[in-house]
Amino acid sequence: MDVMNSGNIAGIFKKTIFAGALAASFGFGCAVMAEEGADVRLKPFDSNEVSINLEVGEMAMMAGNYDEASTAFTRAFTLEPRSYPAAYNLGYISQLKAKNEEAVRYYRQALRIRPESVDPLLNIGVIAMMDEKYDEAMVNFQKALAIDAKSQGARFNISAVFMAKQNYAAAYQLLSDLIKEGAGKEKAGSDIVLKFAQVCVELDKFAEADASLKELKPAARESEVEKYYLTGCSLFKQKKNDEAEKAFAAASDSAKDNESLSKLLIGKIAEFKKTGRTAKPLRIKE
């Protein structure tokens, strides 16, 4: 998956993950870094221990040691239940472990601490999307958008809800706006471009789909596979079957070293040929 990130130890580690039609097509907020003073408001004898545990948790998160990170954030949260980084990151770790009910509880606690935060709302919405609770997901994404009208994650996810409900025209408009704003020029924008191409294929806007895919140079393997897959879908719907098969073969070649991705792709191609639809997004489990 591609990520956008900025931040440091003193502030929020603002990362948003995007994925396209072959992966989980949602943007969601990721880990936050340990914060100083402003949000913690501790008794003096507690502050050092809380700060140390937040920093230990942060370093463990960056190293991918989520159990160690969870232990450290739990200690910090026990000492200071008003710590946004502790509450949020415990939710994020729970989400990574598919403990979604627990994740939502922590995210709601993070929102009570910082009601203006966008990332917990995005993540609660993502969890709802995974359970196909699209109306609930939309409510959370719209709340996030009301806080930050420029949030790419919120707008991208709202387009995913529209796609799930087969409201392709609405999804097309949202994604078109993101493309026009130059979002596609950012690293994470490759997935916005892929999602835009997907909705164009669904709407038979082949020229726009083909132009977007032709210019795209994805960094991640999943995105490369999806680029070839959607190219094949577009060509197949245009009855350019030989060219479509070449594109599907290129997708298969890109996925061949990843068994899970390869199996997923085979199913997606078969489903598309049967239904003429690019199909609803699926998670890649490795």
Side-chain angles (χ1 to χ4, degrees), residues 184-244:
K185 297 178 181 178
E186 303 294 336
K187 183 179 179 183
S190 63
D191 294 299
I192 296 173
V193 174
L194 286 167
K195 180 57 67 179
F196 176 71
Q198 184 188 8
V199 76
C200 285
V201 172
E202 292 286 358
L203 292 171
D204 294 345
K205 294 179 179 288
F206 302 124
E208 290 183 71
D210 295 345
S212 297
L213 293 167
K214 184 177 181 180
E215 296 177 4
L216 186 62
K217 296 179 180 179
R221 185 194 328 194
E222 289 90 345
S223 297
E224 181 179 65
V225 172
E226 188 178 351
K227 173 183 177 177
Y228 289 128
Y229 165 72
L230 290 174
T231 298
C233 291
S234 177
L235 291 167
F236 192 88
K237 289 188 75 174
Q238 295 175 70
K239 303 189 183 303
K240 299 177 181 180
N241 292 352
D242 290 342
E243 294 177 61

Side-chain angles (χ1 to χ4, degrees), residues 36-263:
E36 299 173 351
D39 290 294
V40 181
R41 299 189 296 277
L42 303 170
K43 295 179 181 179
F45 61 83
D46 284 339
S47 59
N48 287 339
E49 187 172 352
V50 171
S51 296
I52 289 170
N53 278 291
L54 289 176
E55 290 183 15
V56 169
E58 171 195 319
M59 289 186 289
M61 286 282 285
M62 294 176 69
N65 298 327
Y66 298 118
D67 289 338
E68 181 182 340
S70 181
T71 298
F73 289 131
T74 297
R75 288 172 181 163
F77 187 66
T78 300
L79 286 166
E80 178 45 79
R82 294 170 295 177
S83 170
Y84 176 84
Y88 180 87
N89 285 326
L90 284 169
Y92 177 65
I93 292 169
S94 297
Q95 187 175 1
L96 289 177
K97 294 181 176 182
K99 297 180 179 179
N100 289 338
E101 290 185 8
E102 181 178 292
V104 170
R105 286 198 299 270
Y106 280 121
Y107 288 142
R108 295 202 185 285
Q109 177 64 20
L111 285 169
R112 284 191 285 271
I113 298 166
R114 186 182 296 174
E116 76 283 3
S117 181
V118 167
D119 288 345
L121 290 167
L122 293 181
N123 291 6
I124 292 170
V126 166
I127 290 169
M129 282 288 286
M130 293 299 184
D131 292 334
E132 298 186 349
K133 297 177 180 178
Y134 301 124
D135 292 338
E136 180 181 335
M138 180 67 88
V139 168
N140 284 281
F141 298 147
Q142 288 177 333
K143 286 181 180 178
L145 194 62
I147 293 169
D148 180 5
K150 295 182 179 181
S151 171
Q152 285 190 19
R155 289 184 289 168
F156 184 84
N157 289 343
I158 289 171
S159 77
V161 175
F162 285 140
M163 291 280 286
K165 291 188 170 186
Q166 299 182 22
N167 187 347
Y168 300 120
Y172 173 83
Q173 186 58 58
L174 267 178
L175 292 165
S176 294
D177 290 343
L178 285 171
I179 296 292
K180 289 174 183 176
E181 290 170 16
K185 297 178 181 178
E186 303 294 336
K187 183 179 179 183
S190 63
D191 294 299
I192 296 173
V193 174
L194 286 167
K195 180 57 67 179
F196 176 71
Q198 184 188 8
V199 76
C200 285
V201 172
E202 292 286 358
L203 292 171
D204 294 345
K205 294 179 179 288
F206 302 124
E208 290 183 71
D210 295 345
S212 297
L213 293 167
K214 184 177 181 180
E215 296 177 4
L216 186 62
K217 296 179 180 179
R221 185 194 328 194
E222 289 90 345
S223 297
E224 181 179 65
V225 172
E226 188 178 351
K227 173 183 177 177
Y228 289 128
Y229 165 72
L230 290 174
T231 298
C233 291
S234 177
L235 291 167
F236 192 88
K237 289 188 75 174
Q238 295 175 70
K239 303 189 183 303
K240 299 177 181 180
N241 292 352
D242 290 342
E243 294 177 61
E245 291 302 331
K246 290 180 181 178
F248 289 142
S252 297
D253 187 62
S254 295
K256 66 182 180 182
D257 294 329
N258 185 319
E259 184 177 355
S260 297
L261 182 59
S262 183
K263 287 181 179 179

Side-chain angles (χ1 to χ4, degrees), residues 7-12 33-36 58:
N8 49 49
I9 291 177
I12 299 177
M33 291 295 193
E35 298 183 347
E36 299 173 351
E58 171 195 319

